[in-house]
Amino acid sequence: MPLSVASISKRRARICVRGIVQGVGFRPFVYQLAQELSLGGFVLNGGDGVIIEAEGRPVSIDNFIDKLNSNPPPLARIDSFRCVDIEPQGDDEFIIQHSNRGKIKTMVSSDISMCSACKDEMNDPKNRRYKYPFINCTDCGPRYTIIENLPYDRVNTSMSVFSMCSKCKQEYEDPSNRRFHAQPVSCYDCGPSLYFLDLEGQINAKGEDAIEDTCRMIKEGKSVGIKGLGGFHIVCDANNEEAVRNLRKNKNRPTKPLAVMFKNIEKIKEVCLLTKADEEMILSKERPIVIVQKKRSGNLAYSIAPNISRIGVFLPYTPLHERVLDALDSPIVATSANLSDESIIVDEKSLIQKLSHVLSAVLSHDRKILNACDDSVCMISNNKTILMRMARGYAPLSISLKQKSLKKIMAVGANQKSTLALAFDDNLILSPHIGDLNSLDAFDYFQRTMQTFKRFYNFEPDIIVCDKHPNYETSKWAKEFAKENSNTVLLEVQHHYAHALACMAEHNLDEKVLAFCFDGTGYGDDNTLWGGEVLIADPVDYERIKHFRPIRLIGGEKAVREPNRIALSLLFEMYSFEDILNMDIECVKSFTNKELKTLYMMYEKGLNSPLSSSVGRLFDAVASLSGVSQKVAYEGESGILLECAAENSYTKDAFSYVKDENVIDYRPMIKELLQEKDKDAVALKFISMLKNIIIDICDEYPYLNVVFSGGVFQNRLLVSQLTQALDKKNRKYYMQDKTPINDGGIALGQAYHAHYIQRIKIGK
Ligand code: ZN
Ligand code: ZN
Ligand code: FE
């Protein structure tokens, strides 16, 4: 075909962009770029992402493509970018076309902290949104937490009840404006209103006065509820020891560390030692809680993180938090408002009903939270991010699969730190942190989240995946569901294999890897409790090549809260009862003679004393034997205490172990440990031993890439030692940094496995 005159001087490109490109200011960005380069054509939201046709001088088109790729809007994430040349049509003007509502595939984006442009406006007395506590734009503000349904349009959000004033509407409709199609856009004239409630639910103040009253109460040492993006916080003065202690007492939370929100990064640096990576993470647009090193001096109340040298810190992430912190001199404790074992509270009525014994008043507003979402929690070790809770700012997370999924897959995860994962088309999606499913309320929240995701993606599962543990609430639910829906296939995945798979999923790995899955306890294929597993795994299958020598957990579940029982069990295995009675160590002394006899009997007979190869439990045993702690108040406490102790030691030594073909035997360590009187050295030698074990096994399998997953890898010191050693050896390894490395990642791993085996086992 001969080229037309137009096509000689002009070029037209059709571009398809997929990923997070809806509700993040992508179309106005394209529009403005096209304007700048004098291009004609259009941009629209298709069912499959954003579609652009751009026409103009060839050099300008090149430029356009280049800039789209290299400098997209801050909240956008481009997963695929396809571009083909088509016949020019003589367009001079560039327009934003109305959405072509096809099949909805565009991903839901997460809630993002206030951007600097909005912050500047909020602080500008001449701006019409001066001090406005709900300011936002396409670069920031609520998303997931206010979405009822897709596509992401105002009518499908909890902003639908607020009709835009003419000024806001103008901004919303102007493609050159920062608020073009910013769904939650609002102002004093048309947006949500702020109010201050007493415990009767009566409004006592509004607007500015509400903020003032809140701050006055905080200064008086009282606890106040404050509405955030995905739920309420309980807040009090973080410099006021008595206030913090009262909060703890009333909330019945004796020692589990509390997070603290500071006005700005400088204030954090006054009381914490930050690495550059810590600082960047704290300042990132996701604004997670970052666990950092506390300085020994500083005004922070001791009870915020008793006995440990770590603290979780974060910065204000909504304009409202910003306003509150601005009016205070001290940082604030900001902990999720919930009853223990229950989900985060999202409405003021339940807040007052459930927590009136903790709170004095509530700062709230009338923009509804439709989907609860906790704060995300992470820490940084040797420049690696360890995500302990993936929620606000990150969730829902989408990963694009290498190959399309033929079936709709839903994975229900584990029982603790529950999350959900969906796979369909080439998407793998992980829900935000739901929490431990130890109460009816929590399970209710799990089911609500499931409904939300089913609604978003118009999703009914063909395959449902759960853990092998017969007593997980999620497994029971999945089995019931499969029974009632005969078209749904049920798959069970071993817990630690799912940990390895989670890491593989995040990095899209499909080759064989050497996986270290060190964890609390999970149900093993041999009906014992696993948790110190070395696997050779790919997405289809795995082989358990090594595991830690199993320990008897005397009293089962009880032993998880009482590390001294696990330590005692190890002693029973290695020493006579008489020898143990004569041992002058805290572990033994923490029991009466009668208790020792009973426990010995249980151990001997194997009564309610399941075997477990868990490394998490080994941490417990070492914490007890070294005298660091005999009981734990929250999960993972012995790990944190040992880590803090180890940091005080400079020993280069490590404890010994022996390794045969299948079993890693740490009994030599126990003997050495009982000789070592320095607790700090015990802690460090233990962690160094774990590192040595891993490196040793890595050396046995030099040709496999290495994967780490499981709760034990939340230990900053272990991760730091390990990654340094592997970096030195130039060994390729993978660790999760976008998805939770603990049980929060299990659902992701389960779905990834189902995705790979659907072709093999389920057919078609
Ligand atoms: Zn903004
Ligand atoms: Zn307005
Ligand atoms: Fe686990």
Side-chain angles (χ1 to χ4, degrees):
M1 187 173 73
L3 286 171
S4 65
V5 178
S7 65
I8 296 169
S9 56
K10 281 199 168 181
R11 176 182 163 201
R12 188 178 180 99
R14 184 179 167 87
I15 300 163
C16 268
V17 191
R18 298 194 49 201
I20 298 174
V21 288
Q22 200 183 26
V24 292
F26 201 80
R27 285 174 306 156
F29 162 77
V30 171
Y31 173 86
Q32 280 162 45
L33 194 59
Q35 295 287 335
E36 258 170 54
L37 297 165
S38 311
L39 301 176
F42 64 84
V43 55
L44 65 84
N45 266 340
D48 215 12
V50 167
I51 297 159
I52 307 163
E53 287 192 13
E55 177 168 345
R57 291 169 54 218
V59 55
S60 305
I61 297 284
D62 281 346
N63 220 328
F64 180 71
I65 292 169
D66 192 49
K67 284 194 170 153
L68 274 183
N69 260 313
S70 62
N71 198 18
L75 303 191
R77 193 192 76 202
I78 297 178
D79 289 338
S80 88
F81 190 98
R82 276 200 311 267
C83 176
V84 286
D85 272 25
I86 56 173
E87 181 73 11
Q89 291 170 13
D91 283 345
D92 302 322
E93 208 192 334
F94 198 90
I95 54 167
I96 297 183
Q97 271 187 11
H98 270 293
S99 292
N100 144 10
R101 302 259 160 81
K103 234 168 95 195
I104 303 149
K105 259 192 187 168
T106 325
M107 301 296 115
V108 181
S109 55
S110 46
D111 304 57
I112 292 297
S113 65
M114 178 163 65
C115 73
S116 58
C118 284
K119 188 170 176 176
D120 290 346
E121 288 182 355
M122 192 177 78
N123 292 327
D124 174 7
K126 291 196 285 294
N127 193 282
R128 73 186 189 94
R129 292 192 181 87
Y130 178 52
K131 292 189 173 178
Y132 183 54
F134 304 101
I135 192 168
N136 64 76
C137 71
T138 40
D139 293 340
C140 71
R143 294 287 190 280
Y144 170 73
T145 55
I146 59 163
I147 299 178
E148 169 83 32
N149 217 335
L150 291 182
Y152 176 52
D153 276 333
R154 187 155 170 134
V155 289
N156 287 330
T157 70
S158 60
M159 283 302 289
S160 63
V161 295
F162 302 98
S163 52
M164 274 182 241
C165 70
S166 58
K167 279 181 184 161
C168 285
K169 197 164 178 150
Q170 210 173 16
E171 293 171 300
Y172 181 84
E173 286 172 351
D174 174 5
S176 65
N177 194 286
R178 206 174 85 244
R179 297 197 167 86
F180 177 72
H181 282 205
Q183 305 305 341
V185 69
S186 67
C187 72
Y188 284 111
D189 295 336
C190 65
S193 44
L194 191 65
Y195 43 80
F196 187 66
L197 297 170
D198 62 21
L199 296 180
E200 252 73 68
Q202 293 301 314
I203 295 183
N204 281 344
K206 285 183 164 183
E208 281 304 296
D209 295 341
I211 295 180
E212 225 168 83
D213 286 2
T214 304
C215 294
R216 183 177 39 77
M217 278 208 169
I218 294 172
K219 285 178 191 162
E220 285 169 4
K222 297 190 172 123
S223 292
V224 183
I226 297 183
K227 194 168 181 175
L229 281 175
F232 280 88
H233 281 135
I234 304 171
V235 156
C236 76
D237 183 343
N239 287 350
N240 183 334
E241 175 63 27
E242 202 189 325
V244 179
R245 230 182 288 156
N246 278 335
L247 191 161
R248 279 202 180 281
K249 194 178 79 208
N250 296 334
K251 211 190 164 203
N252 192 18
R253 177 166 158 151
T255 49
K256 194 173 174 190
L258 298 163
V260 182
M261 187 185 275
F262 292 76
K263 194 180 290 194
N264 52 44
I265 192 86
E266 286 71 34
K267 292 279 175 197
I268 299 181
K269 286 182 183 168
E270 284 174 14
V271 289
C272 301
L273 292 166
L274 302 184
T275 63
K276 197 159 175 290
D278 288 336
E279 195 174 331
E280 277 167 14
M281 186 53 90
I282 293 166
L283 288 165
S284 69
K285 63 184 191 308
E286 290 84 5
R287 297 271 157 110
I289 294 172
V290 185
I291 298 176
V292 298
Q293 192 76 31
K294 193 163 63 172
K295 280 186 185 167
R296 283 184 202 274
S297 61
N299 291 329
L300 281 184
Y302 173 79
S303 298
I304 288 171
N307 309 323
I308 62 175
S309 54
R310 301 263 185 287
I311 182 172
V313 300
F314 61 147
L315 291 175
Y317 54 87
T318 69
L320 179 57
H321 290 123
E322 196 87 41
R323 294 291 328 278
V324 169
L325 266 297
D326 252 353
L328 292 169
D329 299 319
S330 314
I332 52 175
V333 163
T335 182
S336 297
N338 59 355
L339 287 174
S340 69
D341 281 340
E342 292 199 354
S343 59
I344 185 167
I345 296 171
V346 295
D347 68 286
E348 56 216 32
K349 213 174 135 206
S350 348
L351 181 75
I352 292 170
Q353 216 173 55
K354 291 185 171 180
L355 290 172
S356 58
H357 59 295
V358 182
L359 300 170
S360 296
V362 179
L363 179 62
S364 188
H365 56 75
D366 55 357
R367 186 181 70 206
K368 256 191 166 171
I369 298 171
L370 295 180
N371 305 307
C373 194
D374 259 294
D375 294 316
S376 292
V377 182
C378 69
M379 66 180 166
I380 296 186
S381 170
N382 189 24
N383 288 320
K384 303 252 170 335
T385 304
I386 305 169
L387 205 53
M388 297 142 108
R389 191 200 283 160
M390 190 201 73
R392 175 182 53 75
Y394 299 98
L397 173 106
S398 62
I399 292 171
S400 55
L401 293 164
K402 281 185 187 168
Q403 231 184 342
K404 277 198 180 193
S405 180
L406 306 168
K407 304 274 184 187
K408 290 186 171 182
I409 299 166
M410 184 164 78
V412 296
N415 210 57
Q416 307 303 108
K417 304 180 182 66
S418 155
T419 55
L420 280 167
L422 308 182
F424 57 95
D425 301 330
D426 47 8
N427 305 302
L428 178 55
I429 293 170
L430 185 63
S431 81
H433 165 89
I434 297 171
D436 298 350
L437 304 180
N438 297 336
S439 68
L440 280 177
D441 170 87
F443 197 71
D444 221 49
Y445 175 34
F446 167 80
Q447 287 188 303
R448 274 201 312 277
T449 309
M450 183 181 291
Q451 290 313 325
T452 302
F453 277 79
K454 281 180 162 182
R455 191 170 63 238
F456 280 176
Y457 301 111
N458 202 0
F459 191 97
E460 274 307 323
D462 305 311
I463 303 175
I464 193 128
V465 204
C466 68
D467 196 277
K468 275 196 174 165
H469 201 305
N471 297 332
Y472 280 0
E473 291 303 324
T474 46
S475 307
K476 289 193 246 174
W477 181 89
K479 282 175 194 165
E480 202 54 39
F481 183 89
K483 216 194 272 170
E484 284 165 14
N485 298 270
S486 53
N487 294 331
T488 313
V489 176
L490 177 77
L491 266 182
E492 293 170 70
V493 183
Q494 199 280 322
H495 187 90
H496 302 96
Y497 177 40
H499 270 302
L501 286 157
C503 184
M504 287 188 250
E506 182 180 315
H507 297 281
N508 242 313
L509 305 179
D510 49 15
E511 74 263 28
K512 265 201 190 333
V513 296
L514 178 66
F516 292 87
C517 308
F518 290 3
D519 199 22
T521 48
Y523 200 73
D525 284 341
D526 56 2
N527 300 348
T528 69
L529 298 169
W530 290 6
E533 313 309 308
V534 187
L535 314 175
I536 289 183
D538 63 31
V540 173
D541 208 355
Y542 76 99
E543 186 194 345
R544 184 195 196 200
I545 54 162
K546 281 189 188 8
H547 59 87
F548 276 69
R549 189 188 155 83
I551 313 174
R552 278 210 181 279
L553 309 181
I554 310 177
E557 270 303 302
K558 209 163 181 205
V560 176
R561 287 183 305 271
E562 300 181 9
N564 51 354
R565 286 171 174 248
I566 302 168
L568 193 64
S569 157
L570 281 180
L571 296 178
F572 286 153
E573 200 179 322
M574 297 175 63
Y575 302 93
S576 73
F577 191 70
E578 277 60 45
D579 284 349
I580 294 170
L581 284 181
N582 290 327
M583 281 182 184
D584 183 29
I585 56 172
E586 278 179 47
C587 163
V588 176
K589 287 192 288 185
S590 66
F591 297 101
T592 62
N593 275 10
K594 196 172 158 218
E595 282 170 332
L596 287 172
K597 269 185 201 143
T598 313
L599 293 170
Y600 186 63
M601 191 272 293
M602 286 172 76
Y603 170 83
E604 282 278 89
K605 298 193 170 154
L607 273 180
N608 189 21
S609 300
L611 282 170
S612 172
S613 55
S614 162
V615 178
R617 299 292 78 85
L618 195 57
F619 265 92
D620 288 342
V622 172
S624 167
L625 290 175
S626 62
V628 165
S629 82
Q630 303 305 328
K631 302 262 188 292
V632 293
Y634 55 91
E635 194 220 30
E637 188 179 14
S638 33
I640 297 176
L641 292 174
L642 281 176
E643 190 184 326
C644 291
E647 273 167 8
N648 298 323
S649 173
Y650 294 95
T651 178
K652 293 239 173 338
D653 299 337
F655 287 132
S656 317
Y657 60 93
V658 284
K659 178 189 75 166
D660 70 18
E661 211 181 319
N662 302 114
V663 177
I664 303 154
D665 188 346
Y666 42 76
R667 280 177 299 181
M669 166 187 88
I670 305 295
K671 285 198 179 129
E672 294 169 14
L673 189 160
L674 292 174
Q675 302 302 317
E676 174 60 81
K677 295 288 167 239
D678 176 2
K679 288 179 194 182
D680 298 341
V682 168
L684 184 54
K685 285 180 182 181
F686 170 60
I687 290 171
S688 303
M689 176 193 83
L690 291 176
K691 184 254 313 178
N692 288 347
I693 291 172
I694 292 171
I695 300 294
D696 188 359
I697 298 171
C698 283
D699 288 345
E700 257 185 79
Y701 297 89
Y703 302 112
L704 292 174
N705 288 335
V706 185
V707 154
F708 297 103
S709 189
V712 167
F713 296 105
Q714 294 172 115
N715 190 295
R716 188 157 70 165
L717 193 61
L718 175 63
V719 169
S720 157
Q721 280 205 14
L722 200 56
T723 50
Q724 283 178 41
L726 290 164
D727 287 341
K728 220 186 233 167
K729 285 173 167 277
N730 255 327
R731 187 68 187 260
K732 182 89 185 147
Y733 60 90
Y734 298 92
M735 217 176 258
Q736 289 151 271
D737 63 6
K738 292 186 183 67
T739 56
I741 198 160
N742 51 38
D743 281 9
I746 291 290
L748 186 71
Q750 292 172 342
Y752 197 61
H753 176 61
H755 170 60
Y756 272 88
I757 69 158
Q758 57 182 325
R759 288 178 174 79
I760 300 167
K761 288 202 181 157
I762 297 154
K764 212 177 90 77

